[in-house]
Amino acid sequence: MTFENLNIIVPILKALEQQNYSTPTPIQEQAIPIILSGKDLIGCAQTGTGKTAAFAIPILQQLAKKPAKQSKAIRSLILTPTRELAIQINDNFTSYGKHLKLKHTAIYGGVSSFHQIKVLRNGIDILIATPGRLLDLIQQGHINLSSLEIFVLDEADRMLDMGFVHDVKKIITMLPTQRQTLLFSATMPEAIQKLADNLLQNPEYVSVAPISSAAETVNQSVYFVDKKDKVKLLSDILNDKEISRSLVFTRTKHSADKLVKLLAKQGIFAAAIHGNKSQNARQKALQGFKVNQLRVLVATDIAARGIDIDELPHVINYDLPEVPETYVHRIGRTGRGGNTGTAVSFCGNEEKGDLRNIEKLIGFKLSVSTIV
């Protein structure tokens, strides 16, 4: 199967070739024909499966082949939970649509809205937005969604986890009833299914890479360690200079900041990214991590949704997640693109129940590493 087999138009094929895309991933192979047919779609796929291209490519093609009904009208809206994801999706639209005349932009909080408003006034076809900033600019009269043709709700489960459900429902009431709707989610809890039932019309359903499956290229292990000894264990692991980069997960923003300070006392420089950090600080830390200027990045689950690095060798679960599916998301940051990866978890006495739930989900017990 190639992208040509999916009847992709030449300008997009050319852009995909320049990005070294040759064979569509399973989610792309299944979703693109459905979206091109104009049907609503529910896509269940975790991070790293090529989900963004699965909706971006057919959206670009549909809008390119059909003239806009109104000048400067927003024709497609992609709603996503975090700034990092909005930036990442916008970059993907730039890559796939570089030979088309369609305009797109991303709007998100944490930065001045001045330049975002300026771009909107000039007219765009595709808007990538986080809920808060979108509602703010709608209320200010800078955005009108009445001509919308395609709506995408991306990372729906994370959207609800972050408390955006009321914002999402408010935005939905502002959309035209005649539209194509695409919903993507890594998991399909009951709340998402109810939202989908109200949002979509006779949708097709595509599911790939079940949430219980972790990449076989990831070596997974667990340390049983008292909470008070976690920092020392982490510094011992990070002092191994053969580990070029490590992404460390904590449960809360406070613990991420605290851990960065404790590591600094051990002579290990790290940076934290989470929702309370400014956009510039988050982007600076993320960029430094991507280009190997920063060895250690401490992140909460929400902030880490925008981290997409093909050759990340090492993930450490400093705190085990309470939701077992989150574990699979976390370790899915490594072992990508055929590369091998290592995922290490710390388990305190109070986290043993979380570990049991994780092992039940993934279907095997993690190998136990011992503290030397």
Side-chain angles (χ1 to χ4, degrees):
M1 172 67 72
T2 66
F3 283 102
E4 286 185 354
N5 298 139
L6 296 176
N7 296 317
I8 304 300
I9 57 176
V10 171
I12 298 177
L13 285 176
K14 185 179 177 182
L16 294 175
E17 186 178 346
Q18 290 169 336
Q19 293 292 314
N20 295 317
Y21 284 30
S22 55
T23 305
T25 65
I27 187 70
Q28 293 161 6
E29 183 178 330
Q30 295 178 56
I32 287 174
I34 294 170
I35 298 171
L36 287 176
S37 74
K39 295 179 181 177
D40 285 5
L41 174 89
I42 297 174
C44 193
Q46 61 195 72
T47 305
T49 56
K51 169 173 56 68
T52 302
F55 64 75
I57 291 170
I59 287 174
L60 286 165
Q61 178 153 324
Q62 285 178 288
L63 299 188
K65 292 180 74 173
K66 186 169 59 175
K69 295 177 183 177
Q70 185 179 334
S71 175
K72 295 187 177 182
I74 296 171
R75 304 177 64 191
S76 180
L77 169 66
I78 294 90
L79 196 63
T80 195
T82 70
R83 293 173 279 191
E84 284 77 16
L85 276 168
I87 292 166
Q88 185 178 305
I89 293 168
N90 193 49
D91 288 344
N92 286 334
F93 270 98
T94 299
S95 298
Y96 310 145
K98 63 190 298 183
H99 302 299
L100 300 171
K101 293 181 179 180
L102 296 168
K103 297 179 181 179
H104 58 88
T105 195
I107 62 169
Y108 42 83
V111 295
S112 168
S113 62
F114 176 80
H115 293 293
Q116 297 176 358
I117 293 168
K118 188 176 179 181
V119 173
L120 289 167
R121 281 177 180 161
N122 291 331
I124 55 156
D125 300 285
I126 301 162
L127 178 63
I128 302 103
T130 54
R133 179 53 58 92
L134 177 64
L135 283 171
D136 182 32
L137 295 186
I138 288 173
Q139 288 160 3
Q140 291 184 42
H142 298 297
I143 293 175
N144 186 326
L145 299 175
S146 62
S147 296
L148 198 75
E149 299 169 38
I150 307 171
F151 172 56
V152 181
L153 183 60
D154 190 32
E155 302 275 0
D157 54 348
R158 184 57 61 184
M159 200 83 78
L160 266 62
D161 287 346
M162 292 175 67
F164 286 136
V165 62
H166 296 300
D167 286 349
V168 170
K169 288 180 177 178
K170 190 182 295 185
I171 290 163
I172 290 168
T173 64
M174 301 174 181
L175 306 179
T177 54
Q178 292 298 314
R179 65 174 191 270
Q180 182 179 16
T181 303
L182 316 172
L183 183 149
F184 288 88
S185 187
T187 59
M188 288 299 295
E190 186 177 349
I192 298 294
Q193 192 60 61
K194 285 183 179 178
L195 181 64
D197 291 343
N198 293 325
L199 184 60
L200 294 93
Q201 298 289 327
N202 301 316
E204 297 281 334
Y205 185 89
V206 171
S207 179
V208 300
I211 188 59
S212 61
S213 67
E216 294 180 0
T217 52
V218 180
N219 179 30
Q220 304 171 56
S221 62
V222 61
Y223 285 91
F224 290 102
V225 54
D226 288 340
K227 188 175 182 179
K228 63 181 175 60
D229 296 324
K230 282 188 175 185
V231 175
K232 184 180 184 306
L233 175 59
L234 180 60
S235 62
D236 287 345
I237 291 173
L238 295 177
N239 277 322
D240 182 352
K241 299 303 179 187
E242 291 188 10
I243 301 173
S244 60
R245 283 178 298 178
S246 293
L247 176 59
V248 181
F249 282 100
T250 61
R251 279 188 185 176
T252 67
K253 304 168 192 175
H254 172 72
S255 57
D257 287 333
K258 183 179 178 182
L259 185 56
V260 167
K261 292 176 182 177
L262 291 171
L263 287 174
K265 291 179 180 178
Q266 303 288 326
I268 298 171
F269 177 71
I273 61 167
H274 52 66
N276 284 354
K277 294 285 185 181
S278 71
Q279 178 63 22
N280 287 340
R282 290 165 74 170
Q283 286 302 113
K284 183 179 178 182
L286 187 55
Q287 188 58 30
F289 191 62
K290 285 184 175 182
V291 299
N292 266 337
Q293 292 174 348
L294 180 68
R295 281 187 66 234
V296 183
L297 190 64
V298 183
T300 56
D301 293 300
I302 290 171
R305 278 285 176 118
I307 298 175
D308 188 11
I309 302 171
D310 288 335
E311 297 181 8
L312 174 62
H314 211 241
V315 168
I316 299 174
N317 291 303
Y318 184 82
D319 298 319
L320 281 181
E322 294 174 320
V323 179
E325 287 85 358
T326 300
Y327 171 83
V328 179
H329 283 304
R330 288 181 177 185
I331 69 169
R333 302 293 164 182
T334 186
R336 303 174 80 159
N339 296 304
T340 57
T342 299
V344 176
S345 298
F346 296 175
C347 181
N349 287 328
E350 70 283 359
E351 296 174 296
K352 288 183 177 178
D354 296 324
L355 178 63
R356 284 194 294 271
N357 291 335
I358 289 167
E359 291 177 332
K360 183 179 179 182
L361 177 71
I362 63 178
F364 61 90
K365 288 187 175 294
L366 298 182
S367 63
V368 178
S369 295
T370 55
I371 302 171
V372 178

